[in-house]
Amino acid sequence: MGIQVVFTAPRTVQLQEYPDPPLQPGEVRVRTLYSGISAGTELTQYRGTNPYLEKRWDPERRLFVPGQAGLEYPLRGIGYEQVGQVVEVGSQVRRLEVGQVVWGSWGHRSSAVLSEEVTAPRRLRGESWDPRIGIFARIGAIALNMVHDAEVRLGDTVAVFGLGVVGILAAQLARLNGAEVVAVDGIKQRLELARKLGLQTIDFRQENPAEAIKALTHNRGADASLEATGSYTALHEAIRATAYNSKVVVGGFFQGEGTGLRLGEEFHHNRIQLICSQTSGVHPGLDHRWDRLRLEQTVMRLAVEEKLELRALVSHVFPALEAARAYELLDQQPAEAVQVMLDFQEVA
């Protein structure tokens, strides 16, 4: 039997057993090493604010429809940032061996049975790496997707609002793309981390970000702004900080009504484009060449080549059996955490 994290009600976490399925010829069994918690999507499920808990998503019309929930408690299969070790291979598997480390998205659970087709392209490669970096593949792909959506060019000034995991990864990736990056947050620990990674920072508690960014760019504003907070106030400030006829890429998962947005001001007068960057798709000009797997592989390659710093983002590692404490920390003391991980290695 395996162990998985389950939300039985808002802010209620339990560990439940599940049966280990038999292995088919083209499958591998993976034992989870680490699992990363998303401070965006997962917290909306934990808190009970996710729109799927109130409405149903109609895939044909691509509309949320009131009157019937698409999700209900207990919620299983939570989590999309996992890394594990292959412990068993099916008789027809040729591209994977026992002992190899792979990343993927199989939820906060102690093991998973996965197809070779899905798993083989997600093997961690390189001469020197820490297996913990594997949990950043999907969240890193989300950040890289934002940079692609922003169409960052060499010499651009890019403002990144929010220095959680997605924001600080996007800031590093934009810099690798040749941009001058200005990172905005109000949490001391995150600003310090950004500075250690060589990023220029603005503390919004001490100065107005839009005015500071305009001053840094001779009143032009950022060529692109990346919003990674899910805060309407931050989104409004990103709009204010952006140059005329330029783009704000929105990666945050917003909840509720848009209090704090004043769209008749800079948004209207500066012809600002708002672009949603979301993990289910890529930039429409790239979708014939790029997909989620290529984004993930790119992030992992950059990490193994030590061009992208991931390990410094890990602020807390909880034993998987203490998952409830991990979610409570992210919910009640978000300023204390960046990337929170669950360690499954002691789970039998």
Side-chain angles (χ1 to χ4, degrees):
M1 300 292 285
I3 295 294
Q4 64 179 331
V5 175
V6 178
F7 296 159
T8 55
R11 290 184 167 87
T12 305
V13 179
Q14 289 186 5
L15 294 171
Q16 296 182 0
E17 291 186 337
Y18 64 91
D20 284 320
L23 201 64
Q24 299 301 313
E27 296 176 333
V28 300
R29 194 181 309 277
V30 177
R31 178 175 59 85
T32 306
L33 298 174
Y34 299 99
S35 190
I37 296 178
S38 157
T41 303
E42 283 186 57
L43 280 192
T44 69
Q45 297 170 334
Y46 174 79
R47 293 167 172 161
T49 62
N50 191 288
Y52 284 90
L53 293 166
E54 296 182 351
K55 301 176 181 179
R56 177 179 60 85
W57 174 250
D58 182 338
E60 293 185 2
R61 295 183 292 169
R62 300 194 66 81
L63 289 173
F64 276 105
V65 181
Q68 181 182 359
L71 289 176
E72 60 182 20
Y73 294 101
L75 297 179
R76 298 180 176 87
I78 304 155
Y80 57 82
E81 307 172 21
Q82 283 73 48
V83 63
Q85 188 171 40
V86 176
V87 294
E88 186 181 358
V89 299
S91 60
Q92 296 179 7
V93 171
R94 298 292 180 265
R95 292 183 289 165
L96 288 167
E97 299 175 357
V98 170
Q100 292 178 328
V101 175
V102 297
W103 78 80
S105 299
W106 56 83
H108 299 306
R109 51 198 296 147
S110 56
S111 65
V113 170
L114 307 166
S115 72
E116 179 187 25
E117 180 181 2
V118 168
T119 311
R122 293 173 168 83
R123 181 163 69 89
L124 268 176
R125 302 173 185 270
E127 296 181 0
S128 177
W129 41 261
D130 181 335
R132 292 180 300 172
I133 70 173
I135 67 109
F136 289 96
R138 174 66 68 84
I139 200 74
I142 291 169
L144 180 54
N145 213 21
M146 291 182 68
V147 174
H148 283 185
D149 281 323
E151 300 179 303
V152 175
R153 295 174 174 85
L154 183 67
D156 276 353
T157 297
V158 173
V160 178
F161 286 77
L163 295 176
V165 178
V166 172
I168 209 158
L169 288 175
Q172 291 186 73
L173 291 164
R175 184 174 60 183
L176 285 173
N177 221 37
E180 179 181 352
V181 178
V182 182
V184 181
D185 207 303
I187 297 175
K188 179 181 178 181
Q189 296 93 319
R190 295 182 180 182
L191 291 164
E192 289 176 352
L193 174 59
R195 287 192 286 269
K196 287 179 182 178
L197 294 174
L199 297 168
Q200 184 174 2
T201 63
I202 292 174
D203 184 344
F204 68 71
R205 299 169 303 173
Q206 298 182 5
E207 56 183 330
N208 179 271
E211 294 179 7
I213 290 166
K214 293 280 185 172
L216 288 170
T217 57
H218 307 287
N219 294 330
R220 182 184 64 247
D223 298 289
S225 292
L226 309 182
E227 191 290 314
T229 69
S231 161
Y232 291 107
T233 302
L235 175 58
H236 183 71
E237 197 63 22
I239 291 169
R240 296 186 69 234
T242 303
Y244 177 81
N245 239 2
S246 295
K247 185 182 297 185
V248 176
V249 173
V250 184
F253 190 10
F254 292 86
Q255 304 294 293
E257 297 182 355
T259 304
L261 279 176
R262 294 178 291 279
L263 298 182
E265 298 180 8
E266 290 84 4
F267 172 75
H268 179 79
H269 287 77
N270 289 334
R271 301 186 82 252
I272 300 297
Q273 302 173 58
L274 285 182
I275 305 295
C276 174
S277 186
Q278 202 267 349
T279 186
S280 64
V282 299
H283 187 294
L286 301 177
D287 61 3
H288 63 296
R289 293 183 284 122
W290 283 83
D291 57 15
R292 182 185 292 167
L293 175 58
R294 186 177 177 187
L295 292 168
E296 293 177 0
Q297 289 173 331
T298 300
V299 169
M300 289 295 94
R301 175 177 58 80
L302 291 171
V304 170
E305 293 173 355
E306 298 185 344
K307 297 176 181 177
L308 181 65
E309 176 56 53
L310 301 179
R311 288 170 295 184
L313 277 62
V314 178
S315 59
H316 296 78
V317 180
F318 288 86
L321 297 179
E322 299 179 17
R325 286 183 53 217
Y327 284 100
E328 184 178 359
L329 171 70
L330 282 168
D331 182 41
Q332 301 298 324
Q333 298 174 286
E336 302 296 321
V338 184
Q339 179 63 66
V340 176
M341 296 170 53
L342 302 177
D343 185 343
F344 275 88
Q345 294 176 91
E346 296 184 2
V347 177

